[in-house]
Amino acid sequence: MNDFVQRLPFALSGIDRDDLGRKSADGLLENPGTRILVQRRDTALVAPRGGGLALDLRENKNLPSYRDPIYLGKLVEPRENPDGRVDETGTPIVAVAIEDFEASQLEPEADRWPMLNESGLQLDRTDASLYAEALAIRNFHRNHQHSPLTGERLAMEHGGWVVRPEDGGQPVFPRVDPAIIIGVVDKDDRILLGANVNWKPKRYSTFAGFVEPGESFEQAATREVMEEAGARIVNHRYLGSQPWPFPASVMIGFLGELDPEQDPATVRPDNEEIAEVRWFTREEIRENIDLLPPRISISRAIIEEWYGGPLD
């Protein structure tokens, strides 16, 4: 595993997704050894004082009836809980959803219900991966309540990883939308960043976009940078990927070089999606850290890969 991926939130996991076990996952909620991740809309319950996900709620008398359980998998390494108890390797984890009023009864403190992009850096790799997985599959269910073929109501099966019309029919599986994200470097070793027209206050990031049908990742990277900044790139170097369940993406990260035949001064924003493009030296990056993407994003990791280390 390369150092770049090691630095990416959500990119590593301590979870065995246990595909074979999904067929018999219905009984897991009756298993006292099962740990439960509780979801409220786009949030999940965490332990007090940043202690990680609050998973040990099986005996909590305030927890409402379980609905829409999703089997996330089994631990592949022991996990220590905030109270010091250790969940051993093989412990099953199930995500359940509750309503707002139930969440307020279970835990009224708002800071115990952070969104993933708020808490991801404070969670260890196992908890961050569990949260990302639970959010992604829950988003899939929200967006696939009816069959795209027949309009029939869909019901969960296979531990939540398949939905199908209640009277049988064609199954629908979770989908992931691949998107490339790339940093562009010129012959003077400056990095090109762009400011999106919708970002207020203004900030700068690397260039990103969804992969189109019939397109490779490299082709998508070349097209996106040309469309958004008028830059021709060569020598794509793959760095790593990051799941991004907002709502259902995976980001494929690259560094590329500006074609040496192109004058860096000819790079221009498209003024539709990108309002401004700018070349940064390392010194200028240090001076403008507050304008960069947050540390939780792969864009920040790409910038730091070019920079040569963390920008704290």
Side-chain angles (χ1 to χ4, degrees):
M1 192 69 64
N2 65 47
D3 291 340
F4 181 84
V5 175
Q6 293 278 359
R7 298 196 302 269
L8 285 179
F10 326 137
L12 297 175
S13 174
I15 302 300
D16 171 7
R17 296 201 173 200
D18 189 24
D19 176 69
L20 295 178
R22 293 171 184 171
K23 296 179 181 179
S24 57
D26 291 347
L28 285 175
L29 285 179
E30 276 61 60
N31 178 357
T34 297
R35 298 295 170 245
I36 298 172
L37 184 156
V38 184
Q39 295 177 277
R40 168 187 173 268
R41 290 193 277 178
D42 289 334
T43 70
L45 182 62
V46 299
R49 298 177 296 281
L53 290 173
L55 295 184
D56 190 18
L57 291 168
R58 189 65 186 85
E59 303 302 326
N60 192 318
K61 300 188 186 315
N62 293 323
L63 191 63
S65 58
Y66 304 111
R67 290 191 301 277
D68 301 328
I70 297 169
Y71 179 40
L72 302 179
K74 302 182 296 186
L75 295 178
V76 298
E77 56 191 13
R79 175 188 179 274
E80 184 173 354
N81 288 271
D83 60 4
R85 178 187 43 78
V86 175
D87 292 326
E88 299 297 338
T89 299
T91 298
I93 313 293
V94 172
V96 298
I98 63 176
E99 302 294 337
D100 286 349
F101 74 93
E102 296 169 325
S104 64
Q105 293 176 337
L106 175 63
E107 177 47 66
E109 294 296 328
D111 61 0
R112 294 280 304 278
W113 298 96
M115 299 183 70
L116 178 59
N117 56 357
E118 298 169 340
S119 61
L121 289 176
Q122 283 72 52
L123 300 175
D124 65 22
R125 75 172 191 180
T126 296
D127 281 11
S129 179
L130 280 169
Y131 195 159
E133 180 186 353
L135 179 59
I137 195 68
R138 190 70 66 187
N139 285 338
F140 163 71
H141 286 292
R142 289 173 184 157
N143 296 328
H144 294 81
Q145 298 185 23
H146 296 85
S147 168
L149 299 176
T150 66
E152 296 173 89
R153 184 77 178 179
L154 295 172
M156 292 169 46
E157 59 181 53
H158 206 70
W161 289 86
V162 176
V163 290
R164 190 190 305 266
E166 295 177 353
D167 58 354
Q170 190 73 21
V172 180
F173 298 92
R175 297 289 187 269
V176 175
D177 301 320
I180 61 85
I181 183 163
I182 183 167
V184 181
V185 180
D186 72 357
K187 61 178 188 259
D188 294 322
D189 203 20
R190 300 178 299 174
I191 193 168
L192 180 68
L193 302 178
N196 190 284
V197 295
N198 296 316
W199 291 344
K200 294 182 172 112
K202 181 172 67 175
R203 64 182 186 273
Y204 294 93
S205 183
T206 52
F207 298 90
F210 290 106
V211 179
E212 294 185 347
E215 201 173 42
S216 69
F217 297 154
E218 291 80 5
Q219 288 172 325
T222 299
R223 174 183 53 78
E224 284 290 343
V225 177
M226 176 55 71
E227 289 176 355
E228 296 180 357
R232 299 191 304 271
I233 57 173
V234 297
N235 299 331
H236 311 68
R237 176 164 69 93
Y238 172 72
L239 298 176
S241 63
Q242 180 189 43
W244 197 246
F246 307 105
S249 296
V250 58
M251 308 299 296
I252 299 98
F254 291 91
L255 266 177
E257 300 172 10
L258 183 72
D259 186 335
E261 299 298 321
Q262 181 177 2
D263 185 345
T266 64
V267 172
R268 293 288 186 273
D270 63 3
N271 291 317
E272 293 184 7
E273 185 172 350
I274 303 299
E276 179 186 347
V277 295
R278 177 178 168 185
W279 293 102
F280 287 85
T281 65
R282 286 175 176 78
E283 181 179 358
E284 290 168 335
I285 284 290
R286 287 196 300 272
E287 294 170 351
N288 291 280
I289 290 177
D290 58 333
L291 299 180
L292 299 181
R295 291 179 52 235
I296 200 168
S297 71
I298 189 173
S299 180
R300 178 63 168 261
I302 291 172
I303 295 170
E304 292 181 343
E305 178 74 10
W306 159 80
Y307 181 79
L311 284 160
D312 296 325

